[in-house]
Amino acid sequence: LSEYAPPPNPNSDHLVAANPFDDNYNTISY
Amino acid sequence: ATIPTRVAAGIRLALYVYEYLLHVGAQKSAQTFLSEIRWEKNITLGEPPGFLHSWWCVFWDLYCAAPDRREACEHSSEAKAFQDY
Amino acid sequence: ATIPTRVAAGIRLALYVYEYLLHVGAQKSAQTFLSEIRWEKNITLGEPPGFLHSWWCVFWDLYCAAPDRREACEHSSEAKAFQDY
């Protein structure tokens, strides 16, 4: 993988592809 | 401060690209992508067409409506108004 | 005007997602994606990391630097200055 690839294991076990402009989107937990 | 930003941005982009691949019906690409970036995580999708597609349509419209590009590519009148504003 | 814009945007997004997959090193996903969307035309790539990744990082930096979010997530000083401006 190249330097532009994301880290292999993002810190949260469960990722939510939420719209970051949604009111209940919580930037901290992501 | 920029390193974490770029890492965080990279994680979010990979997540939204995965979602985009599923919403456009490219299931095999989506699964192959997860395994190539070694993400085993379970992922909750947003509503179709997904955030990347929605964001991109706005971005591309504004990008095309920029004064030095608007002659060359289609753009909405709203995007033109926004750029002129 | 918005219909052609959205069609053009969709084609562009597929192209830049393909470029993104290649530049992150997910070659198999990139090839699988082209075959799943039945894209036969040959594609000339931009410089790494590609258009989508570059613009996404700018967007994400600005998103994180917004006044009501900047305490919660990392952002560059340039993005903060741009938002404050």
Side-chain angles (χ1 to χ4, degrees):
Chain A
L1 286 174
S2 81
E3 62 183 289
Y4 306 112
N9 277 308
N11 50 7
S12 58
D13 277 341
H14 179 204
L15 286 170
V16 180
N19 181 332
F21 292 104
D22 280 350
D23 294 341
N24 55 1
Y25 181 86
N26 178 349
T27 43
I28 296 175
S29 64
Y30 294 120
Chain B
T2 54
I3 303 296
T5 307
R6 292 187 72 83
V7 171
I11 291 173
R12 301 308 304 175
L13 181 53
L15 176 62
Y16 292 126
V17 164
Y18 170 71
E19 179 192 42
Y20 163 82
L21 292 172
L22 284 179
H23 283 323
V24 295
Q27 274 81 6
K28 275 194 294 180
S29 318
Q31 296 317 323
T32 308
F33 178 55
L34 274 199
S35 67
E36 285 193 287
I37 62 174
R38 298 196 295 282
W39 276 16
E40 301 84 29
K41 307 304 163 193
N42 58 340
I43 293 173
T44 303
L45 299 186
E47 290 301 304
F51 179 69
L52 182 63
H53 191 282
S54 309
W55 168 79
W56 174 264
C57 286
V58 173
F59 164 78
W60 186 251
D61 197 7
L62 289 171
Y63 181 85
C64 289
D68 55 347
R69 275 188 287 264
R70 63 183 54 159
E71 300 314 318
C73 44
E74 297 264 353
H75 55 276
S76 67
S77 50
E78 295 85 350
K80 182 178 177 305
F82 182 90
Q83 287 280 14
D84 292 343
Y85 174 73
Chain C
T2 53
I3 303 293
T5 308
R6 290 186 71 86
V7 170
I11 292 170
R12 283 280 168 179
L13 179 54
L15 177 67
Y16 290 128
V17 163
Y18 170 72
E19 179 189 52
Y20 162 82
L21 293 172
L22 283 181
H23 283 322
V24 298
Q27 274 83 5
K28 276 190 291 180
S29 318
Q31 296 318 321
T32 308
F33 178 54
L34 283 194
S35 64
E36 284 193 289
I37 62 173
R38 292 191 293 281
W39 189 308
E40 286 92 25
K41 289 197 277 298
N42 58 347
I43 295 171
T44 307
L45 294 187
E47 288 301 304
F51 188 85
L52 178 61
H53 191 285
S54 305
W55 276 104
W56 175 265
C57 286
V58 171
F59 159 73
W60 194 256
D61 197 5
L62 290 171
Y63 170 86
C64 291
D68 56 344
R69 278 189 284 267
R70 63 182 54 156
E71 301 314 318
C73 46
E74 299 272 356
H75 53 277
S76 67
S77 50
E78 294 85 352
K80 182 177 178 304
F82 183 91
Q83 289 279 14
D84 293 342
Y85 173 73

